[in-house]
Amino acid sequence: MERENELGDYLRARRAAVAPVDAGLPDDGSRRVPGLRRDEVALLAGVSTDYYIRLEQGRERHPSEQVLRAIAGALRLDDAAATHLFRLGRPVFGEAAVTTVAPELLRLMDGMRDVPAFVVGAAQDVLAANALATRLYSGFARYDNLLRMIFLDPFAREFYTDWDRAARIAVGNLRASSSRFPREERIERVVGELSVRSPAFAGLWARYEVRPRTHEDKHFRHPRVGEIRLHFEALAVTSAPGQHLSVYSAEPGSADADALVLLGRPAEREATGPAEAAELQA
């Protein structure tokens, strides 16, 4: 994963995503490329055009907090995107992602027998999962990394009723994680592999969208229980940077809750389980 001028790449991508009219600027239709011009971003941010150009080109490596805040406003970045900008512009390298799941967390997760629960790492590796989560994802050849599952396993397009949305959210979540852990080798390996093997991933990654995944409603099509709608919550594991406990739940008394109960019952003939996450990360 190329990091020589990631700040400049991010600025260019987000600049191209802002319509001039949304920034209060005229658009006579004569623009050759979409989005704002560099001099327009500089004007909106209150910095010189030369300084902004040097930022994009990577010749200015130490922007102040005030400058970054002004550029975030000019580019109309939301909180997540602005946080990503600050991490790129003023990086702190003291934090490393943790990949070992604590025994106490494993016990907690295994005790959640009525809901699918699994622990995800900074690179979206599935580090541990309870029985119901394993059954929920049983249609995949490998239950190892959420991004690899979405982009490399054909079953994903059957499983996710809105595959495009799932793909965008997953890539945006990895993008957010990449700035928090800029030296995480595992993230680089995942991005490198998917960039080569999946044009869809490469296209989304190049858009530099930041979407930390914290909660959302999911709609799946499961081969055993049919369509099921679940609510997703990602709970940060504060004792293990980069880890999140992901939990799905259904509305009580709903058909989706009944589907979870059915999913929790062992089938007469279980499908071959996915390979262990540790083996797949080797």
Side-chain angles (χ1 to χ4, degrees):
M1 184 169 59
E2 183 60 57
R3 288 189 174 275
E4 287 187 3
N5 186 23
E6 194 169 4
L7 174 60
D9 293 340
Y10 184 59
L11 289 173
R12 281 189 292 273
R14 301 324 303 156
R15 174 165 60 84
V18 180
V21 65
D22 291 335
L25 298 172
D27 185 0
D28 58 9
S30 63
R31 295 171 182 262
R32 292 177 296 174
V33 294
L36 301 178
R37 301 186 181 100
R38 290 181 294 187
D39 61 314
E40 291 173 332
V41 176
L43 175 65
L44 292 170
V47 300
S48 72
T49 300
D50 177 68
Y51 180 84
Y52 181 78
I53 290 174
R54 284 190 281 119
L55 272 180
E56 279 203 2
Q57 293 177 342
R59 293 186 291 123
E60 171 55 57
R61 299 281 186 172
H62 304 288
S64 68
E65 180 178 340
Q66 181 180 4
V67 165
L68 291 174
R69 199 174 302 281
I71 291 174
L75 295 177
R76 305 178 66 83
L77 302 183
D78 60 20
D79 290 344
T83 297
H84 187 76
L85 175 66
F86 270 80
R87 285 174 174 166
L88 294 179
R90 300 177 66 82
V92 177
F93 299 115
E95 192 171 40
V98 176
T99 58
T100 302
V101 182
E104 296 81 4
L105 182 56
L106 291 174
R107 287 199 300 269
L108 172 65
M109 182 183 61
D110 288 340
M112 304 168 74
R113 295 186 177 88
D114 298 328
V115 294
F118 53 101
V119 179
V120 177
Q124 296 301 287
D125 291 310
V126 180
L127 303 178
N130 68 3
L132 197 51
T134 300
R135 287 173 182 158
L136 178 63
Y137 288 97
S138 61
F140 288 90
R142 301 165 62 172
Y143 185 22
D144 59 346
N145 178 282
L146 297 179
L147 284 150
R148 292 183 63 198
M149 291 160 64
I150 289 172
F151 288 98
L152 300 183
D153 194 323
F155 175 71
R157 293 184 180 268
E158 301 175 32
F159 183 68
Y160 296 99
T161 60
D162 189 345
W163 183 90
D164 290 333
R165 181 172 181 271
R168 289 195 309 271
I169 291 174
V171 172
N173 191 44
L174 185 67
R175 176 64 75 180
S177 186
S178 71
S179 63
R180 183 183 176 191
F181 303 102
R183 293 182 175 177
E184 184 59 41
E185 181 182 351
R186 177 60 183 160
I187 294 178
E188 295 183 6
R189 288 170 57 192
V190 170
V191 172
E193 177 188 8
L194 292 178
S195 295
V196 171
R197 298 182 61 186
S198 171
F201 173 86
L204 288 172
W205 186 251
R207 291 167 63 172
Y208 283 83
E209 293 183 349
V210 181
R211 295 169 179 255
R213 189 176 59 170
T214 56
H215 61 87
E216 61 179 305
D217 292 324
K218 296 273 197 175
H219 187 185
F220 302 128
R221 190 179 295 112
H222 194 275
R224 181 178 165 196
V225 301
E227 293 197 9
I228 181 170
R229 293 173 172 80
L230 301 173
H231 181 71
F232 167 85
E233 290 283 344
L235 311 173
V237 182
T238 56
S239 60
Q243 290 186 18
H244 286 81
L245 174 62
S246 301
V247 182
Y248 290 115
S249 63
E251 184 71 26
S254 66
D256 303 307
D258 293 339
L260 272 186
V261 173
L262 177 60
L263 191 62
R265 296 172 183 167
E268 291 183 5
R269 196 179 283 179
E270 290 284 0
T272 301
E276 293 295 332
E279 177 186 343
L280 296 168
Q281 293 179 45

